[in-house]
Amino acid sequence: MYRAVRHIITTIAVVFAGAYTLSAQELRIGAEFTTLFDNTEYAAMDNISSATLFSSRLTPKLGVAWSERNTLMFGVDMVQDFGHDSKFLSDANVQLYYAYKAPRVKVFAGIFPRSEMRGVHSGLFYDPTYLYYNNRIGGVLARYEDDKFYDSYVEFAMDYTGMRDFDTREAFAITSSGHWNITAVYIGYDFYMGHYAKDYNPETRDGVVDNLLITPYLGYKFSANKHYRPIDFDLRVTYMQSLQRDRINENVWQSPCGGELYVNVEWCNISLSNRLLLGGESLLTYYSRYGAEVYHSVPLYRTNKGIYDAITLSYKRGFFSDTVVVAAGITAEYEGTGWGTRQWIELCVDLDYGISLNRKQRYIE
């Protein structure tokens, strides 16, 4: 613990020393806090277990901003799972990153919050539990966005999640997203390329897995006024295509595919949605062999029954200028063998303050 604290203090000192040499203009101070209860009841389904997540995370952060568009930030993610009394903290990780934010171009490098990413949020790519415990990206993110063209964007990111050691040789994910609004009609895509390589074990036959997913979509959004409170509708059709290969075992590309229809109706912060997936084979081909080590998606996308349906009723609202956001909901899910439910409640707090720093000297005297 002493060594960890010493490293943190050293890092803070380096950040501030670099800030002064760059003629810093503003000190950034903030914190993010999340409490999440996420419970799944899958007893009626085959080959999947129920689970409960109840946890809190606090991320204090500080850094410097200069020349209006540049930011250098340092933060610490501290996670405590409720009921986990054997440790002072269940987990703690560092955030350390540089950000360049212009009106149309955003660039991040280092270890930065996953919330900075705009695309790749489908349950086929990431499960809510995975996103909670892996809320950081270690790598780079670049995005071009055009607010004048109906808030359209193109994004690229690389997340390096595993370095070479005795258990994992390497693991990383490359993602890209594009979204274009054309009045009420919109089109887009999400792309994911996952690579997982493990030192070969002849008993378990673990090896190298390539996992590619591409999901182009077409949607239509519109609103209907009802007593001055609009009802928003969102209809979207997505084609899901995967290419997967286990080089050590079959070494043959598998290409399951499917189609998903998404319908959402929202009124007064209340949403009712239905997500229906139809396809013949499992979109997560090797899930039974590698599980969550390779696939970070909602596990029910692995169904080979040709159907997955999720009906969700949820509520989400921001308070105090959206510095506090409360969300809750329940999802009824069916994957061909039985019905299950998912219930969640989430409270998020996001604070960010700037303190002006006026300094004429280039170096500290």
Side-chain angles (χ1 to χ4, degrees), residues 35-71:
T35 289
L36 176 64
F37 171 81
D38 189 330
N39 180 64
T40 55
E41 300 289 348
Y42 292 151
M45 298 177 174
D46 292 343
N47 302 317
I48 187 168
S49 301
S50 303
T52 301
L53 161 65
F54 205 179
S55 178
S56 285
R57 181 178 64 240
L58 175 65
T59 308
K61 53 187 178 180
L62 75 159
V64 290
W66 71 97
S67 299
E68 296 182 357
R69 298 177 177 180
N70 300 276
T71 308

Short mmCIF file of all heavy atoms in Angstrom, two decimals, residues 35-71:
data_model
loop_
_atom_site.label_atom_id
_atom_site.label_comp_id
_atom_site.label_asym_id
_atom_site.label_seq_id
_atom_site.Cartn_x
_atom_site.Cartn_y
_atom_site.Cartn_z
N THR A 35 -23.15 4.30 -8.05
CA THR A 35 -23.62 3.15 -7.29
C THR A 35 -24.57 2.36 -8.19
O THR A 35 -25.50 2.93 -8.77
CB THR A 35 -24.37 3.57 -6.02
OG1 THR A 35 -23.44 4.10 -5.07
CG2 THR A 35 -25.07 2.39 -5.38
N LEU A 36 -24.31 1.08 -8.33
CA LEU A 36 -25.08 0.24 -9.26
C LEU A 36 -25.56 -1.02 -8.57
O LEU A 36 -24.78 -1.74 -7.94
CB LEU A 36 -24.22 -0.13 -10.47
CG LEU A 36 -24.87 -1.08 -11.49
CD1 LEU A 36 -26.08 -0.43 -12.14
CD2 LEU A 36 -23.85 -1.50 -12.55
N PHE A 37 -26.86 -1.27 -8.70
CA PHE A 37 -27.45 -2.57 -8.35
C PHE A 37 -27.95 -3.20 -9.63
O PHE A 37 -28.77 -2.62 -10.35
CB PHE A 37 -28.62 -2.38 -7.36
CG PHE A 37 -29.41 -3.64 -7.12
CD1 PHE A 37 -28.95 -4.60 -6.25
CD2 PHE A 37 -30.61 -3.86 -7.80
CE1 PHE A 37 -29.68 -5.76 -6.03
CE2 PHE A 37 -31.35 -5.01 -7.59
CZ PHE A 37 -30.88 -5.97 -6.69
N ASP A 38 -27.43 -4.38 -9.96
CA ASP A 38 -27.78 -5.08 -11.20
C ASP A 38 -28.00 -6.55 -10.87
O ASP A 38 -27.07 -7.26 -10.48
CB ASP A 38 -26.65 -4.91 -12.22
CG ASP A 38 -27.04 -5.41 -13.61
OD1 ASP A 38 -27.84 -6.34 -13.71
OD2 ASP A 38 -26.54 -4.86 -14.59
N ASN A 39 -29.23 -7.00 -11.02
CA ASN A 39 -29.59 -8.36 -10.60
C ASN A 39 -30.22 -9.11 -11.77
O ASN A 39 -31.12 -8.61 -12.44
CB ASN A 39 -30.58 -8.30 -9.44
CG ASN A 39 -30.97 -9.69 -8.98
OD1 ASN A 39 -30.15 -10.46 -8.50
ND2 ASN A 39 -32.26 -10.02 -9.13
N THR A 40 -29.74 -10.33 -12.02
CA THR A 40 -30.31 -11.18 -13.07
C THR A 40 -30.92 -12.43 -12.45
O THR A 40 -30.33 -13.04 -11.54
CB THR A 40 -29.25 -11.59 -14.10
OG1 THR A 40 -28.15 -12.22 -13.44
CG2 THR A 40 -28.75 -10.37 -14.85
N GLU A 41 -32.08 -12.82 -12.96
CA GLU A 41 -32.78 -14.03 -12.53
C GLU A 41 -32.99 -14.90 -13.75
O GLU A 41 -33.90 -14.69 -14.55
CB GLU A 41 -34.13 -13.67 -11.89
CG GLU A 41 -34.02 -12.79 -10.66
CD GLU A 41 -33.45 -13.53 -9.46
OE1 GLU A 41 -33.35 -14.78 -9.52
OE2 GLU A 41 -33.10 -12.87 -8.47
N TYR A 42 -32.10 -15.92 -13.92
CA TYR A 42 -32.11 -16.75 -15.12
C TYR A 42 -32.38 -18.23 -14.81
O TYR A 42 -31.97 -19.11 -15.55
CB TYR A 42 -30.75 -16.64 -15.83
CG TYR A 42 -30.48 -15.28 -16.44
CD1 TYR A 42 -29.17 -14.82 -16.58
CD2 TYR A 42 -31.51 -14.47 -16.89
CE1 TYR A 42 -28.91 -13.58 -17.15
CE2 TYR A 42 -31.26 -13.23 -17.46
CZ TYR A 42 -29.96 -12.79 -17.59
OH TYR A 42 -29.70 -11.57 -18.16
N ALA A 43 -33.08 -18.51 -13.73
CA ALA A 43 -33.28 -19.89 -13.30
C ALA A 43 -34.03 -20.72 -14.34
O ALA A 43 -33.82 -21.93 -14.46
CB ALA A 43 -34.04 -19.93 -11.97
N ALA A 44 -34.93 -20.09 -15.11
CA ALA A 44 -35.75 -20.82 -16.09
C ALA A 44 -35.00 -21.07 -17.39
O ALA A 44 -35.53 -21.74 -18.28
CB ALA A 44 -37.04 -20.06 -16.36
N MET A 45 -33.79 -20.54 -17.53
CA MET A 45 -33.03 -20.69 -18.77
C MET A 45 -31.98 -21.78 -18.63
O MET A 45 -31.55 -22.12 -17.53
CB MET A 45 -32.34 -19.36 -19.12
CG MET A 45 -33.30 -18.21 -19.37
SD MET A 45 -32.38 -16.68 -19.69
CE MET A 45 -33.72 -15.57 -20.11
N ASP A 46 -31.55 -22.31 -19.76
CA ASP A 46 -30.54 -23.36 -19.77
C ASP A 46 -29.13 -22.78 -19.85
O ASP A 46 -28.90 -21.79 -20.55
CB ASP A 46 -30.75 -24.30 -20.97
CG ASP A 46 -32.04 -25.11 -20.85
OD1 ASP A 46 -32.59 -25.18 -19.73
OD2 ASP A 46 -32.50 -25.64 -21.88
N ASN A 47 -28.20 -23.38 -19.13
CA ASN A 47 -26.77 -23.10 -19.25
C ASN A 47 -26.39 -21.65 -18.97
O ASN A 47 -25.46 -21.11 -19.58
CB ASN A 47 -26.28 -23.49 -20.66
CG ASN A 47 -26.55 -24.93 -20.98
OD1 ASN A 47 -26.34 -25.81 -20.14
ND2 ASN A 47 -27.03 -25.19 -22.20
N ILE A 48 -27.07 -21.01 -18.03
CA ILE A 48 -26.69 -19.66 -17.63
C ILE A 48 -27.09 -19.47 -16.17
O ILE A 48 -28.14 -19.95 -15.72
CB ILE A 48 -27.34 -18.58 -18.52
CG1 ILE A 48 -26.76 -17.21 -18.17
CG2 ILE A 48 -28.85 -18.60 -18.42
CD1 ILE A 48 -27.12 -16.13 -19.17
N SER A 49 -26.25 -18.79 -15.42
CA SER A 49 -26.48 -18.62 -13.99
C SER A 49 -26.96 -17.21 -13.67
O SER A 49 -26.62 -16.25 -14.37
CB SER A 49 -25.18 -18.89 -13.20
OG SER A 49 -24.71 -20.20 -13.44
N SER A 50 -27.74 -17.09 -12.61
CA SER A 50 -28.16 -15.79 -12.11
C SER A 50 -27.01 -15.15 -11.33
O SER A 50 -26.11 -15.84 -10.84
CB SER A 50 -29.38 -15.93 -11.22
OG SER A 50 -30.44 -16.57 -11.90
N ALA A 51 -27.05 -13.83 -11.21
CA ALA A 51 -25.98 -13.12 -10.49
C ALA A 51 -26.50 -11.78 -10.02
O ALA A 51 -27.47 -11.24 -10.56
CB ALA A 51 -24.75 -12.95 -11.37
N THR A 52 -25.82 -11.22 -9.00
CA THR A 52 -26.18 -9.91 -8.47
C THR A 52 -24.92 -9.07 -8.32
O THR A 52 -23.93 -9.52 -7.73
CB THR A 52 -26.88 -10.03 -7.11
OG1 THR A 52 -28.07 -10.81 -7.25
CG2 THR A 52 -27.25 -8.64 -6.58
N LEU A 53 -24.97 -7.87 -8.86
CA LEU A 53 -23.91 -6.89 -8.69
C LEU A 53 -24.46 -5.73 -7.87
O LEU A 53 -25.47 -5.13 -8.23
CB LEU A 53 -23.44 -6.37 -10.06
CG LEU A 53 -22.66 -5.05 -10.08
CD1 LEU A 53 -21.34 -5.20 -9.34
CD2 LEU A 53 -22.42 -4.57 -11.50
N PHE A 54 -23.79 -5.41 -6.77
CA PHE A 54 -24.16 -4.27 -5.93
C PHE A 54 -22.86 -3.65 -5.48
O PHE A 54 -22.12 -4.22 -4.67
CB PHE A 54 -25.01 -4.73 -4.74
CG PHE A 54 -25.90 -3.64 -4.20
CD1 PHE A 54 -26.75 -3.91 -3.13
CD2 PHE A 54 -25.92 -2.37 -4.73
CE1 PHE A 54 -27.60 -2.93 -2.62
CE2 PHE A 54 -26.74 -1.38 -4.25
CZ PHE A 54 -27.59 -1.66 -3.18
N SER A 55 -22.56 -2.46 -5.98
CA SER A 55 -21.23 -1.92 -5.81
C SER A 55 -21.24 -0.41 -5.97
O SER A 55 -22.18 0.17 -6.51
CB SER A 55 -20.29 -2.54 -6.86
OG SER A 55 -18.99 -2.02 -6.77
N SER A 56 -20.17 0.24 -5.50
CA SER A 56 -19.97 1.68 -5.69
C SER A 56 -18.56 1.93 -6.21
O SER A 56 -17.62 1.19 -5.89
CB SER A 56 -20.15 2.44 -4.38
OG SER A 56 -21.51 2.54 -4.03
N ARG A 57 -18.44 2.99 -7.01
CA ARG A 57 -17.14 3.39 -7.53
C ARG A 57 -16.99 4.90 -7.40
O ARG A 57 -17.90 5.66 -7.72
CB ARG A 57 -16.99 2.99 -8.99
CG ARG A 57 -15.62 3.36 -9.56
CD ARG A 57 -15.45 2.93 -11.02
NE ARG A 57 -16.38 3.61 -11.89
CZ ARG A 57 -17.27 3.00 -12.64
NH1 ARG A 57 -17.38 1.67 -12.59
NH2 ARG A 57 -18.08 3.68 -13.42
N LEU A 58 -15.84 5.34 -6.93
CA LEU A 58 -15.52 6.75 -6.82
C LEU A 58 -14.23 7.02 -7.57
O LEU A 58 -13.24 6.31 -7.39
CB LEU A 58 -15.35 7.17 -5.35
CG LEU A 58 -14.91 8.62 -5.11
CD1 LEU A 58 -15.99 9.60 -5.58
CD2 LEU A 58 -14.59 8.84 -3.64
N THR A 59 -14.26 8.07 -8.42
CA THR A 59 -13.08 8.43 -9.20
C THR A 59 -12.77 9.91 -9.01
O THR A 59 -13.28 10.77 -9.75
CB THR A 59 -13.29 8.15 -10.70
OG1 THR A 59 -13.73 6.80 -10.88
CG2 THR A 59 -11.99 8.36 -11.48
N PRO A 60 -11.97 10.27 -7.98
CA PRO A 60 -11.50 11.66 -7.90
C PRO A 60 -10.47 11.91 -9.00
O PRO A 60 -9.71 11.01 -9.35
CB PRO A 60 -10.87 11.72 -6.51
CG PRO A 60 -10.50 10.31 -6.20
CD PRO A 60 -11.50 9.43 -6.88
N LYS A 61 -10.45 13.12 -9.52
CA LYS A 61 -9.53 13.42 -10.62
C LYS A 61 -9.08 14.87 -10.55
O LYS A 61 -9.78 15.74 -10.04
CB LYS A 61 -10.22 13.15 -11.97
CG LYS A 61 -11.56 13.85 -12.13
CD LYS A 61 -12.27 13.42 -13.40
CE LYS A 61 -13.64 14.10 -13.52
NZ LYS A 61 -14.34 13.71 -14.74
N LEU A 62 -7.90 15.11 -11.05
CA LEU A 62 -7.39 16.46 -11.15
C LEU A 62 -6.43 16.54 -12.32
O LEU A 62 -5.90 15.52 -12.80
CB LEU A 62 -6.69 16.90 -9.86
CG LEU A 62 -5.30 16.34 -9.56
CD1 LEU A 62 -4.59 17.24 -8.59
CD2 LEU A 62 -5.42 14.92 -8.99
N GLY A 63 -6.22 17.75 -12.80
CA GLY A 63 -5.34 17.92 -13.93
C GLY A 63 -5.27 19.37 -14.34
O GLY A 63 -5.67 20.26 -13.59
N VAL A 64 -4.79 19.60 -15.54
CA VAL A 64 -4.62 20.96 -16.03
C VAL A 64 -5.16 21.04 -17.46
O VAL A 64 -5.13 20.07 -18.21
CB VAL A 64 -3.15 21.39 -16.01
CG1 VAL A 64 -2.66 21.59 -14.60
CG2 VAL A 64 -2.29 20.38 -16.75
N ALA A 65 -5.65 22.25 -17.81
CA ALA A 65 -6.10 22.52 -19.17
C ALA A 65 -5.39 23.77 -19.66
O ALA A 65 -5.19 24.73 -18.90
CB ALA A 65 -7.61 22.72 -19.19
N TRP A 66 -4.98 23.77 -20.92
CA TRP A 66 -4.29 24.93 -21.46
C TRP A 66 -4.64 25.08 -22.96
O TRP A 66 -5.07 24.14 -23.61
CB TRP A 66 -2.78 24.79 -21.27
CG TRP A 66 -2.11 23.76 -22.14
CD1 TRP A 66 -1.47 23.97 -23.32
CD2 TRP A 66 -2.02 22.36 -21.88
NE1 TRP A 66 -0.98 22.78 -23.81
CE2 TRP A 66 -1.31 21.78 -22.95
CE3 TRP A 66 -2.48 21.52 -20.84
CZ2 TRP A 66 -1.03 20.41 -23.02
CZ3 TRP A 66 -2.22 20.18 -20.91
CH2 TRP A 66 -1.50 19.63 -21.99
N SER A 67 -4.47 26.29 -23.44
CA SER A 67 -4.72 26.63 -24.84
C SER A 67 -6.12 26.22 -25.27
O SER A 67 -6.34 25.85 -26.43
CB SER A 67 -3.67 25.97 -25.76
OG SER A 67 -2.37 26.42 -25.43
N GLU A 68 -7.04 26.22 -24.34
CA GLU A 68 -8.48 26.00 -24.57
C GLU A 68 -8.85 24.57 -24.95
O GLU A 68 -9.93 24.12 -24.63
CB GLU A 68 -9.01 26.95 -25.65
CG GLU A 68 -8.93 28.42 -25.28
CD GLU A 68 -9.51 29.31 -26.35
OE1 GLU A 68 -9.93 28.77 -27.41
OE2 GLU A 68 -9.56 30.54 -26.15
N ARG A 69 -7.98 23.84 -25.62
CA ARG A 69 -8.37 22.54 -26.17
C ARG A 69 -7.58 21.37 -25.59
O ARG A 69 -7.89 20.22 -25.88
CB ARG A 69 -8.20 22.54 -27.70
CG ARG A 69 -9.09 23.56 -28.39
CD ARG A 69 -8.85 23.58 -29.89
NE ARG A 69 -9.77 24.50 -30.54
CZ ARG A 69 -9.80 24.72 -31.85
NH1 ARG A 69 -8.94 24.08 -32.63
NH2 ARG A 69 -10.66 25.58 -32.36
N ASN A 70 -6.56 21.63 -24.79
CA ASN A 70 -5.70 20.56 -24.28
C ASN A 70 -5.94 20.32 -22.80
O ASN A 70 -6.08 21.26 -22.02
CB ASN A 70 -4.22 20.93 -24.49
CG ASN A 70 -3.89 21.13 -25.95
OD1 ASN A 70 -3.61 20.17 -26.67
ND2 ASN A 70 -3.93 22.38 -26.39
N THR A 71 -5.95 19.04 -22.42
CA THR A 71 -6.15 18.66 -21.02
C THR A 71 -5.26 17.49 -20.68
O THR A 71 -5.13 16.55 -21.46
CB THR A 71 -7.62 18.28 -20.74
OG1 THR A 71 -8.48 19.31 -21.20
CG2 THR A 71 -7.85 18.06 -19.26
#
